[in-house]
Amino acid sequence: MIDVTVEVPDAATMRRLGAEVIAPALRPGDLVILTGDLGAGKTTFTQGLGSALGIRGEVASPTFIIARTHPSLGDGPDLVHVDAYRLSSLAELDDLDLDTSLEDAVTVVEWGDDAQSLSEDRLHLTILRERGGEIDMDDPSGGVRSVRITSHGERWNAVTLASL
């Protein structure tokens, strides 16, 4: 079982968390759920993950299209990137028919608390952002994040994550 918390000081490190810590542990069929406030770094994390998986296309927040599939450019799995922020119920999540791609792709669901029902085996990242203090206008989304990584299900029992 994985239950670890890491401090992430900036966007570059958030991308490295996705690319160097999480991506090497993933395989087709894995579900990654991301929770955190607006601007916490969910899409930034997914950019790093997508880069390491070698997918086609730039990873951007899929808020308005809800789900975007990034095909693999190599032998790795596709990346299905979902933003469940605008979904109002589990039924709407089911309507996306994600279970048809779950076996062959790595699926990342932002705002994914309701996505837990998609798989008993999943990785959950909860991203907490510092509050208060002055906002750096050159980097308004900057600031230290605390990322708690927890695993659920048997698939993750023997998995060890790399260090950041």
Side-chain angles (χ1 to χ4, degrees):
M1 180 176 158
I2 298 168
D3 189 354
V4 63
T5 301
V6 296
E7 297 298 312
V8 177
D10 53 36
T13 307
M14 185 65 81
R15 285 184 190 92
R16 280 189 30 236
L17 177 65
E20 299 174 14
V21 177
I22 302 300
L26 296 176
R27 63 183 188 203
D30 282 340
L31 173 65
V32 179
I33 297 174
L34 305 176
T35 57
D37 292 338
L38 284 170
K42 297 178 295 292
T43 298
T44 302
F45 165 85
T46 308
Q47 290 169 343
L49 189 71
S51 175
L53 291 176
I55 51 98
R56 184 178 72 209
E58 181 180 333
V59 172
S61 179
T63 300
F64 295 104
I65 59 168
I66 301 177
R68 177 178 284 138
T69 299
H70 296 276
S72 173
L73 292 173
D75 295 333
D78 295 345
L79 173 66
V80 177
H81 185 200
V82 179
D83 188 325
Y85 182 75
R86 293 182 34 208
L87 301 179
S88 59
S89 70
L90 184 56
E92 285 184 309
L93 186 62
D94 286 340
D95 288 343
L96 293 176
D97 224 8
L98 292 178
D99 52 345
T100 60
S101 61
L102 277 176
E103 291 180 18
D104 303 320
V106 168
T107 303
V108 175
V109 182
E110 296 188 24
W111 303 95
D113 287 331
D114 287 339
Q116 297 177 57
S117 64
L118 292 173
S119 178
E120 289 182 17
D121 294 310
R122 62 191 180 279
L123 203 58
H124 192 146
L125 280 73
T126 303
I127 306 169
L128 300 175
R129 180 179 174 188
E130 284 184 339
R131 293 286 176 216
E134 291 186 31
I135 294 176
D136 179 356
M137 295 314 287
D138 292 327
D139 183 14
S141 64
V144 175
R145 270 73 166 162
S146 176
V147 182
R148 183 174 181 199
I149 306 166
T150 54
S151 64
H152 304 271
E154 290 183 32
R155 183 269 189 260
W156 295 99
N157 285 345
V159 175
T160 302
L161 297 177
S163 297
L164 185 60

